[in-house]
Amino acid sequence: FSSLRQEAAERRRAFAHALSSWCDVVVMNLASGRGVEQAMETAAAAGDGWAFAMLRGALRGGYVRGDTPWEALADLGRDLGIQELDELANTVGLAGEEGASVRDTVAAKGQTIRQRITADTEELAAATTERMSLPGVLLVLGFLIFLGYPALTAMFQIGS
């Protein structure tokens, strides 16, 4: 089960990367004058990975059900257990249909996702560095013993 959990965590991290890119494309589409729904769908069509396919599927499914795009994204976030997507959907839902406020909201959320990814990566690197300190100390100790052993044996043979 641990490998399955690790794979799920890795997929969530990959989805967060894709979501950050999607936010950037949504912002560009909104800046070019597209409506909120069209900008979100165009941004989802811009990528070709599994995360973008999930976004496209959620937006299309929401359209068929008559949901707003942010309701569809919130459902996807809850289904996949991706907190960033659920938060994005909620903040966009609060921003409403105004293009400028949605653009600012999506841009801010994309920046927040990137900062969270960076913090998580730094935390993982620090943990890895900490785990590597004991093998490093043992390696240095072994090297010192390797260098000091001949000197010690030579000193004790001369005195005998």
Side-chain angles (χ1 to χ4, degrees), residues 9-154:
E10 181 60 36
R11 299 271 291 196
R12 285 187 186 101
R13 279 192 292 274
F15 193 93
H17 282 278
L19 185 60
S20 172
S21 300
W22 179 81
C23 287
D24 291 339
V25 178
V26 168
V27 169
M28 287 186 275
N29 280 307
L30 289 170
S32 71
R34 294 188 182 193
V36 176
E37 293 180 17
Q38 186 181 17
M40 289 182 172
E41 289 190 21
T42 303
D48 57 353
W50 68 270
F52 281 91
M54 296 293 288
L55 289 168
R56 280 191 301 272
L59 291 171
R60 286 185 188 138
Y63 177 76
V64 169
R65 288 188 308 271
D67 294 341
T68 61
W70 43 90
E71 289 172 336
L73 293 176
D75 290 342
L76 178 64
R78 283 189 294 274
D79 290 346
L80 297 179
I82 298 173
Q83 180 182 359
E84 291 92 353
L85 186 57
D86 195 28
E87 290 172 1
L88 173 67
N90 290 332
T91 54
V92 170
L94 291 175
E97 290 287 333
E98 298 174 28
S101 64
V102 171
R103 184 175 66 221
D104 294 341
T105 301
V106 173
K109 192 59 186 174
Q111 182 66 26
T112 302
I113 292 169
R114 281 188 290 282
Q115 289 171 349
R116 189 176 297 168
I117 290 170
T118 302
D120 290 347
T121 303
E122 288 174 354
E123 182 180 323
L124 183 62
T128 302
T129 301
E130 190 174 312
R131 281 196 312 266
M132 289 304 296
S133 55
L134 178 64
V137 167
L138 292 176
L139 182 67
V140 169
L141 184 62
F143 185 68
L144 290 175
I145 291 172
F146 178 73
L147 286 178
Y149 179 75
L152 289 174
T153 56

